[in-house]
Amino acid sequence: FLKGLWYNKAVVRNLGLNYIELQGHQYVGGVSGYGIHANIENCYVNTSNIKGYRIVGGIIGIISNDMELNSSYVKNSNIEGQDEIVGGLCGENHSSNEDTTITESPLTGNHRYAYFYSKINKSYVNHTIVSGSLDVGGICGLNNGTNYNNSISYSQINNCYSNSFVNRNVNSNSVSFGGIIGDNYNNNGVVNNSYYNSSWNSNNIANV
C-alpha cells in the first residue's frame, strides 16, 4: 500500500522485478496493491505470474486519486484474475473530485479538489497474458474517471501500448474486454495516443 501526502508523494522508482510469483485476493500488483498520493516511475515486471480474485494488475492493483504510473512496463508475464477488474499494468485507474478534509496546513479544512487525477503515462505491456471474467484490458481493466465541469477528465491513459493476449475466462459472458481498457466507466476516462496489437487478442472476446 503506497500512500503519501498531497504535498509529499510516496514514490517507487527504478525497481525491476524478475521471475516473481504473487497471489492474493484483491488489490494485487507486482509493485503495489494500492496507491494514493503516490508515483511509480521507471519500474518493470518481467517473466512473472501475478494472480488474484479481483482488482489485479501487473504493476499495481489500483491507481487511486492523485497518482501516476510513468515509464514502466510488464512483459513475458501472466496476469490473472478469477473475477473482475484485471489489467496488464493496473486493474483499475481511478480518480475523483470528491469532497475531502485536509488536516495539514496551510490548507486545513474542507475542500473539493478537482486535481485528484490518476494517470498512466508512457508505459506498455508486451507478450503478456491478461485474463479475467469482467472488465479486463491489456493496459487497464477499469478506467474509472470523473468529469469536472463537463470538460476535463482526470482518469487518463497517455502514450501507452499493449501487445498482449487478452483472454476471457471460461463461463464468462461479459463483453467488457479490450486491447487497452476493458471498461471506460461512464465514459469519463480518456485514452490519448495509445494503441494495441490486435493480433495478440484471443478470438473469443468482444469489443476489443
Side-chain angles (χ1 to χ4, degrees):
F1 183 60
L2 292 174
K3 184 178 181 180
L5 300 170
W6 63 271
Y7 59 87
N8 187 21
K9 290 186 176 182
V11 178
V12 177
R13 182 183 292 119
N14 303 330
L15 174 65
L17 299 169
N18 294 289
Y19 306 106
I20 65 172
E21 298 285 338
L22 180 63
Q23 186 166 346
H25 182 68
Q26 66 176 2
Y27 304 120
V28 183
V31 174
S32 176
Y34 197 114
I36 184 170
H37 298 300
N39 283 348
I40 296 176
E41 303 171 356
N42 195 34
C43 293
Y44 71 81
V45 170
N46 178 43
T47 318
S48 298
N49 290 303
I50 298 172
K51 300 179 180 181
Y53 182 71
R54 64 188 300 270
I55 314 180
V56 182
I59 297 288
I60 184 169
I62 183 170
I63 295 173
S64 192
N65 293 346
D66 195 23
M67 180 172 180
E68 293 188 24
L69 171 62
N70 297 314
S71 303
S72 298
Y73 67 85
V74 173
K75 69 177 183 178
N76 302 325
S77 296
N78 179 47
I79 314 300
E80 180 181 343
Q82 295 179 32
D83 191 33
E84 62 175 355
I85 312 178
V86 186
L89 291 175
C90 76
E92 181 175 352
N93 188 28
H94 174 79
S95 67
S96 74
N97 62 335
E98 297 172 354
D99 291 324
T100 187
T101 299
I102 289 181
T103 57
E104 304 90 1
S105 63
L107 298 179
T108 302
N110 296 321
H111 300 270
R112 189 171 182 86
Y113 279 105
Y115 71 73
F116 277 171
Y117 57 79
S118 59
K119 294 181 179 180
I120 303 172
N121 301 311
K122 297 180 180 179
S123 298
Y124 68 89
V125 178
N126 192 31
H127 289 92
T128 289
I129 299 172
V130 185
S131 59
S133 297
L134 173 68
D135 295 346
V136 182
I139 295 292
C140 177
L142 179 62
N143 203 32
N144 186 3
T146 187
N147 207 314
Y148 184 66
N149 284 340
N150 296 317
S151 60
I152 302 174
S153 176
Y154 288 88
S155 182
Q156 299 180 11
I157 297 173
N158 303 310
N159 303 300
C160 294
Y161 76 85
S162 171
N163 180 34
S164 55
F165 187 99
V166 180
N167 185 52
R168 182 168 57 190
N169 288 346
V170 177
N171 299 326
S172 171
N173 294 317
S174 172
V175 296
S176 297
F177 289 76
I180 296 176
I181 57 175
D183 184 7
N184 193 25
Y185 188 71
N186 286 337
N187 292 320
N188 282 333
V190 171
V191 178
N192 295 310
N193 194 35
S194 300
Y195 70 94
Y196 66 93
N197 182 351
S198 61
S199 67
W200 263 79
N201 291 297
S202 75
N203 294 325
N204 69 332
I205 67 174
N207 293 349
V208 175

